[in-house]
Amino acid sequence: MKQAKAHQEEKLPLPGSESWNTLPWRKLEQHVYRLQKRIFQAEQHGNVKAVHTLQKLLMKSRAARLLAVRRVTQDNQGKHTAGIDGIKTVMPKQRLVMAERLHPKQWKRHKAKPVRRVYIPKPGKPEKRPLGIPVMQDRAHQALVKMALEPQWEAIFEPNSYGFRPGRSCHDAIAAIYVIIAQKAKYVLDADLKGCFDNIDHEALLCKLRTFPALRREIKAWLKAGCIDNGVFEESKAGTPQGGVISPVLANIALHGMETCVQQAFNAKEGKPHFVRYADEFVVFHPRLEGVQKAQKVLEEWIKGIGLEMKPSKTKITHTLEQYQGQVGFDFLGWHVRQYPVGKNRSAIVGGSRKLLGFKTFIKPSQEAVKGHMVATREVIRHNRAAPQGKVIKELNPIIKGWTNYHRTVVSKETFNRCDHLLYLQLASWAGYRHPNKGKRWIAQKYWHVHDRQGWKFSDGKSKLWNHSQTAIQRHAKVRGAASPYDGNLLYWSQRLHKHPMMNGIKAKLLQKQGGKCRWCELLFKDGDIIEVDHITPKSEGGGEELSNKFALHRHCHDDRHAKRVNGTSDKGYILEEPCEVKISSTVLQTSAGGDSCA
């Protein structure tokens, strides 16, 4: 182990007196964003030569290289996950060296290394999903290429593509579906692609890139690098490995054109179908059965060209209002979409004409999503049978808040109440197991207490359980058409961020209070930024949990703030450890004990 560490340090000459924490990050980010906006605008105007020139300029710039390194070594959740070289952590001085190696002049000297194959369980399913973990240098290289490639494709991506794109989410996709069907019942083709990430044809993808030769060679090298699975090398004949920084962008490029293809297959007399895609899941709507059947044939033929096929078990045709093949409605991204026939007093109306539709559209959490959530809470309770009540509350609260925040934009109030009842039965069983010789009244008085205006709560006096029904319903406004974070309208995207349903109460309030800006670097938060909450005056110095003692900042700004507050931090170079097969993501950054005047 020591020999390996010494070998790595010999290869990494340390720069001079330059410090990672003293770099002008604000100016670097502004410079990179200006270039990205110019790439976006050039692609919109169809100026391919200008796009390629600006992409080369961006990847040569030291600002972009430093930000790419910061993204993979400080911001990403998997920043402490090792590739095949065993490097888990890169210290500040070595980050500067990594940035120099990212210059395009160095590309020919660096050969893409195979990814490390790990398997993670799919939520609520017995099968596992394969991930490919690149080495740290390749991750930084991919992050740099993504900075140049993403603005170009954001200018031409189809408006109803919502997966793995900046500024877009599942909630935008489901809001688009509601807009499509709210005024008219339709047939639906609900489909999923089989092994999308693993089977994309490399040549078809590289042809669609339309990029300059040097960048095409680099992307091809990553696609063909192969993987190491339990010490055995496997060639990569197809697919983009999940786990790579650039893989989601490449997958979206490969699937680009599906919406245009299916719409061009229909004339105005037949009626154009509506198409919504989130990553490899998509739905097609048409008023007639023949329409969705034709759309299915057209799409099956199109996806063959990129080496994919529809998954038979997840591909079906249904109707939103009437029963078809024994089913009404469909499930999409954890929600159940269906229309219910109602009387004239509850019927939806056609906007403007006041004509009654005779039905009402409801989107609710799907039964599968509810079942998976209750299984997750049950497992937490089972694993803490002998643990204190406070520990059970601490582990359950993030699960409940995260799940309810995800489903808060749809018709979920009744579902939340039912989940509260099921959770109460699980906790009552947990309490009964701990005290088999005590009565129900004694158990209730020990574990449930009355709180002002909140009624009975599962509480130990110091902390209390968050009920599902405490999460208020919050409607979500769909993203505007083909809008993109690279279009320059930063105010619009900043306002959407603090209103996003997955943004918890404290962060949302702080973002509103701070005008959507980080209190450390004073830059507007963007979609994809990791936002953390820090205390102005630490608890150890008498600081409290009130909102006035907190502020929101980027994760890398959080690192920078504490690095400047705490003396004696050491840069010991690369940390070499054996790859961890179980833990593939890093823990939350712990705050230090010091304080400063960032009020």
Side-chain angles (χ1 to χ4, degrees):
M1 184 73 70
K2 291 182 179 179
Q3 291 178 352
K5 183 175 179 180
H7 178 67
Q8 291 290 337
E9 289 181 345
E10 287 175 1
K11 289 185 177 182
L12 295 172
L14 297 179
S17 59
E18 189 176 30
S19 172
W20 178 264
N21 293 329
T22 58
L23 290 170
W25 293 109
R26 177 185 171 90
K27 292 183 179 180
L28 299 181
E29 289 198 45
Q30 290 172 336
H31 175 69
V32 169
Y33 182 74
R34 280 194 294 267
L35 286 175
Q36 289 179 319
K37 188 167 69 171
R38 290 175 64 189
I39 293 171
F40 179 85
Q41 292 170 344
E43 183 63 36
Q44 280 186 321
H45 292 106
N47 192 343
V48 178
K49 184 178 180 180
V51 169
H52 292 171
T53 302
L54 289 167
Q55 286 176 332
K56 293 175 184 177
L57 181 62
L58 185 144
M59 289 186 289
K60 288 179 181 178
S61 71
R62 192 162 185 263
R65 290 184 278 122
L66 288 168
L67 289 173
V69 171
R70 186 179 71 172
R71 171 66 66 178
V72 300
T73 59
Q74 286 187 268
D75 289 347
N76 288 355
Q77 288 288 358
K79 61 183 178 180
H80 294 314
T81 306
I84 60 170
D85 57 0
I87 295 176
K88 281 190 171 185
T89 303
V90 184
M91 302 308 288
K93 289 184 179 179
Q94 277 65 45
R95 294 173 195 161
L96 296 169
V97 179
M98 283 183 65
E100 294 304 317
R101 289 182 174 178
L102 292 182
H103 196 282
K105 291 182 179 179
Q106 305 288 334
W107 286 7
K108 292 183 179 179
R109 302 179 185 179
H110 177 75
K111 184 180 178 181
K113 295 183 179 180
V115 299
R116 181 170 68 92
R117 177 62 55 83
V118 297
Y119 296 89
I120 61 171
K122 290 186 177 180
K125 298 179 182 179
E127 63 262 27
K128 293 186 176 182
R129 176 185 290 115
L131 290 183
I133 312 299
V135 298
M136 197 69 73
Q137 185 71 37
D138 282 347
R139 279 182 242 176
H141 196 171
Q142 290 182 18
L144 177 64
V145 172
K146 181 183 177 183
M147 285 183 184
L149 206 59
E150 192 171 62
Q152 175 193 3
W153 282 90
E154 276 295 311
I156 57 177
F157 274 147
E158 294 159 326
N160 285 310
S161 166
Y162 296 97
F164 303 131
R165 290 183 59 188
R168 291 165 179 253
S169 65
C170 303
H171 302 89
D172 293 306
I174 205 68
I177 290 174
Y178 181 83
V179 171
I180 291 169
I181 66 173
Q183 300 293 320
K184 190 172 184 179
K186 296 179 180 179
Y187 284 93
V188 187
L189 168 64
D190 179 19
D192 193 357
L193 299 178
K194 184 178 180 181
C196 175
F197 279 86
D198 300 326
N199 297 304
I200 292 175
D201 183 78
H202 287 169
E203 291 305 318
L205 172 59
L206 291 171
C207 287
K208 290 186 74 173
L209 279 174
R210 299 184 295 108
T211 188
F212 53 93
L215 186 55
R216 189 180 186 276
R217 284 194 300 269
E218 288 302 307
I219 294 175
K220 184 177 181 179
W222 293 327
L223 294 175
K224 300 290 187 183
C227 69
I228 304 292
D229 191 355
N230 292 322
V232 179
F233 175 78
E234 296 180 5
E235 291 185 0
S236 299
K237 298 181 180 179
T240 60
Q242 294 187 66
V245 177
I246 201 173
S247 295
V249 178
L250 296 179
N252 269 333
I253 293 173
L255 297 176
H256 173 66
M258 292 181 73
E259 182 177 355
T260 304
C261 166
V262 73
Q263 288 189 346
Q264 288 178 347
F266 289 76
N267 56 42
K269 187 176 179 180
E270 291 175 299
K272 298 286 186 179
H274 289 91
F275 180 92
V276 175
R277 179 174 67 85
Y278 187 90
D280 59 347
E281 298 182 46
F282 61 90
V283 285
V284 182
F285 301 92
H286 198 274
R288 295 192 300 274
L289 176 61
E290 297 80 10
V292 293
Q293 290 174 340
K294 179 181 177 180
Q296 182 175 4
K297 293 179 182 178
V298 170
L299 288 171
E300 283 176 347
E301 189 65 28
W302 188 89
I303 62 177
K304 283 182 182 178
I306 54 174
L308 299 176
E309 61 179 350
M310 294 184 189
K311 194 172 184 178
S313 61
K314 289 190 175 182
T315 301
K316 57 184 178 294
I317 296 176
T318 64
H319 194 270
T320 58
L321 178 61
E322 301 170 358
Q323 191 175 51
Y324 180 76
Q325 295 183 344
Q327 187 176 355
V328 184
F330 62 98
D331 289 349
F332 190 68
L333 302 177
W335 291 297
H336 182 68
V337 184
R338 181 180 172 181
Q339 293 167 329
Y340 296 84
V342 294
K344 63 179 182 179
N345 293 327
R346 299 189 63 190
S347 172
I349 60 174
V350 179
S353 66
R354 309 299 295 176
K355 179 183 175 182
L356 297 178
L357 295 175
F359 62 82
K360 206 168 183 67
T361 303
F362 287 102
I363 302 176
K364 303 178 181 179
S366 66
Q367 292 184 1
E368 185 179 354
V370 174
K371 182 180 178 181
H373 174 60
M374 298 316 300
V375 168
T377 58
R378 184 183 66 196
E379 291 303 312
V380 169
I381 293 170
R382 278 186 176 179
H383 286 128
N384 288 282
R385 283 183 170 178
Q389 186 181 6
K391 187 174 184 294
V392 177
I393 295 172
K394 185 178 179 181
E395 292 192 18
L396 283 176
N397 276 345
I399 296 174
I400 296 171
K401 288 181 179 180
W403 191 83
T404 55
N405 283 342
Y406 181 80
H407 293 285
R408 70 191 303 181
T409 63
V410 297
V411 184
S412 303
K413 206 62 181 178
E414 184 179 338
T415 303
F416 289 171
N417 289 332
R418 186 167 75 252
C419 289
D420 279 336
H421 175 67
L422 295 174
L423 183 60
Y424 165 76
L425 296 178
Q426 292 177 353
L427 292 171
S429 176
W430 170 84
Y433 176 85
R434 293 167 64 92
H435 305 284
N437 298 323
K438 298 292 184 179
K440 292 183 180 180
R441 183 184 292 267
W442 185 92
I443 292 174
Q445 291 177 346
K446 179 173 177 60
Y447 293 106
W448 279 268
H449 306 282
V450 177
H451 288 262
D452 294 339
R453 300 182 181 180
Q454 295 182 355
W456 289 90
K457 301 283 290 184
F458 186 75
S459 169
D460 63 349
K462 297 179 181 179
S463 59
K464 53 190 175 184
L465 187 69
W466 181 268
N467 290 336
H468 296 78
S469 55
Q470 284 182 254
T471 302
I473 301 300
Q474 174 185 321
R475 300 304 177 194
H476 179 71
K478 189 180 82 69
V479 65
R480 295 176 189 166
S484 170
Y486 299 109
D487 59 15
N489 192 356
L490 293 178
L491 182 61
Y492 169 73
W493 293 105
S494 177
Q495 290 173 344
R496 277 185 60 83
L497 188 62
H498 85 261
K499 294 178 181 178
H500 195 279
M502 293 305 292
M503 192 66 64
N504 64 42
I506 293 177
K507 286 183 182 177
K509 291 177 183 178
L510 290 174
L511 287 180
Q512 190 172 13
K513 178 183 175 183
Q514 296 171 201
K517 292 184 178 181
C518 172
R519 286 289 295 274
W520 186 259
C521 68
E522 294 297 327
L523 291 175
L524 286 167
F525 288 107
K526 301 188 296 291
D527 184 77
D529 289 342
I530 308 298
I531 303 174
E532 295 184 347
V533 177
D534 199 9
H535 293 80
I536 298 173
T537 303
K539 295 180 184 179
S540 58
E541 298 178 9
E545 292 292 335
E546 59 273 9
L547 200 65
S548 60
N549 191 44
K550 296 179 179 179
F551 61 98
L553 66 172
H554 296 99
R555 174 176 286 178
H556 48 260
C557 292
H558 198 168
D559 288 352
D560 188 23
R561 178 174 184 248
H562 286 287
K564 289 183 177 180
R565 281 168 42 186
V566 181
N567 296 323
T569 54
S570 59
D571 296 343
K572 298 181 180 180
Y574 283 101
I575 297 178
L576 297 180
E577 300 181 29
E578 293 299 321
C580 177
E581 296 291 345
V582 178
K583 184 178 179 182
I584 64 166
S585 63
S586 66
T587 56
V588 176
L589 180 69
Q590 296 294 324
T591 56
S592 60
D596 64 3
S597 56
C598 198

